[in-house]
Amino acid sequence: MSFGGLRAVDGCTFDVAAGSITGLIGPNGAGKTTLFSIIAGFLKPTAGRVLLDGQDVTGQPSHRLFHRGLVRTFQIPHEFNGLTSLENLMTVPAGQDGERLFKAWFAPAAVAAREAEVMAEADETLAFLGLDPVRNELAGNLSGGQKKLLELGRAMMSGASVVLLDEPGAGINPTLLGQLAEMIQRLNRERGITFCIIEHNMDMIARLCDPVIVMAAGSVLTSGAMADIRKDPRVLEAYLGTAAAGDAA
Ligand SMILES: Nc1ncnc2c1ncn2[C@@H]1O[C@H](COP(=O)(O)OP(=O)(O)O)[C@@H](O)[C@H]1O
Ligand SMILES: [Mg+2]
């Protein structure tokens, strides 16, 4: 992926095994977020391929990938702050306004039945995440950690089978971080959801992820179990190298 003269992601190849919780780490500017944008269909790569279940999905728009079960979670959009936790979850499966309007006219009973079904699923999701106490609270009033859990809930409601998380631990307190890690583990174990997680909190990566892929300067530096990565001098060097460059700048 080139931005003008800059190759943000360059010759970067790796697999995320189905059913894994794969970690993606590396110093700032390594190209991790850009790579997620490419995989999730928000950026078209200059060259290269993305395969999902062995099928080439390179350049497919995010909404199409969403329907194929690949989602990248984001912060709850601003306009959703005025909706309750429950409503935030209930808006996920909708997405087909034309069809909904049509059905509302011609099949109101079917629409009501579907809505009850979606509400039941949303309530189940809130219970799973321990968010039932804030079911009717506006999303804008939730704590940072609760918002992260709600984001995870939106991914669950989408029926995703592959979830990309970009720094889920950023800005949340240790208690909620532990809770978030536990939810990710349970979703992986109980529902078979595959995760790829970018995270700077190495404790969280060590606790959750196997394998861990290390990116530096746009490509894969190394990958493997966190215990081995930790001992790899090249990894330390990559982090120190950019820290030194940052100091000099
Ligand atoms: N839209 C963009 N236009 C130009 N340069 C970009 C853009 N997005 C990212 N970059 C650059 O690409 C490199 C990788 O950035 P990024 O993917 O955000 O790294 P990371 O997430 O690993 O910190 C950085 O040098 C960054 O400045
Ligand atoms: Mg980033």
Side-chain angles (χ1 to χ4, degrees):
M1 180 80 231
S2 297
F3 296 115
L6 176 82
R7 289 185 174 210
V9 177
D10 190 11
C12 182
T13 298
F14 64 85
D15 294 314
V16 173
S20 72
I21 305 180
T22 298
L24 186 58
I25 66 172
N28 282 327
K32 306 180 298 295
T33 296
T34 302
L35 189 67
F36 266 20
S37 300
I38 292 167
I39 296 171
F42 293 90
L43 269 179
K44 268 196 177 150
T46 323
R49 292 190 307 154
V50 179
L51 304 181
L52 178 63
D53 286 331
Q55 294 193 321
D56 194 333
V57 295
T58 316
Q60 285 196 10
S62 56
H63 62 85
R64 193 171 311 158
L65 292 167
F66 177 92
H67 288 297
R68 296 182 70 148
L70 179 96
V71 304
R72 169 195 189 173
T73 67
F74 282 108
Q75 289 181 333
I76 303 291
H78 260 310
E79 58 271 33
F80 285 34
N81 283 336
L83 300 181
T84 66
S85 303
L86 180 77
E87 288 163 344
N88 261 282
L89 296 187
M90 287 188 65
T91 54
V92 176
Q96 291 162 346
D97 288 337
E99 192 191 358
R100 279 167 61 83
L101 284 175
F102 180 85
K103 282 200 188 137
W105 261 94
F106 292 100
V111 170
R114 174 70 186 132
E115 211 137 275
E117 214 177 276
V118 171
M119 188 187 289
E121 195 189 341
D123 269 319
E124 213 173 281
T125 304
L126 289 171
F128 180 92
L129 296 170
L131 289 176
D132 26 352
V134 292
R135 178 185 192 264
N136 301 315
E137 189 62 66
L138 297 182
N141 296 339
L142 301 185
S143 74
Q146 289 171 329
K147 281 183 187 164
K148 296 278 178 187
L149 290 171
L150 193 58
E151 281 175 49
L152 205 54
R154 286 176 56 85
M156 287 168 67
M157 290 293 291
S158 75
S161 54
V162 183
V163 177
L164 308 179
L165 300 171
D166 195 346
E167 300 192 31
I172 74 173
N173 74 52
T175 312
L176 268 166
L177 187 65
Q179 212 178 317
L180 185 66
E182 193 188 311
M183 290 309 152
I184 292 169
Q185 258 164 345
R186 281 188 58 195
L187 287 171
N188 175 255
R189 265 201 313 261
E190 296 171 19
R191 305 196 183 189
I193 297 178
T194 302
F195 286 91
C196 186
I197 305 177
I198 297 175
E199 182 54 55
H200 286 297
N201 183 322
M202 292 301 151
D203 290 335
M204 181 155 173
I205 288 280
R207 171 174 170 188
L208 280 181
C209 302
D210 189 23
V212 176
I213 292 153
V214 185
M215 272 184 82
S219 62
V220 174
L221 181 67
T222 184
S223 64
M226 192 56 181
D228 298 324
I229 300 267
R230 191 168 254 156
K231 289 182 278 188
D232 190 330
R234 290 173 303 167
V235 175
L236 184 65
E237 203 175 290
Y239 274 92
L240 291 179
T242 48
D247 288 345

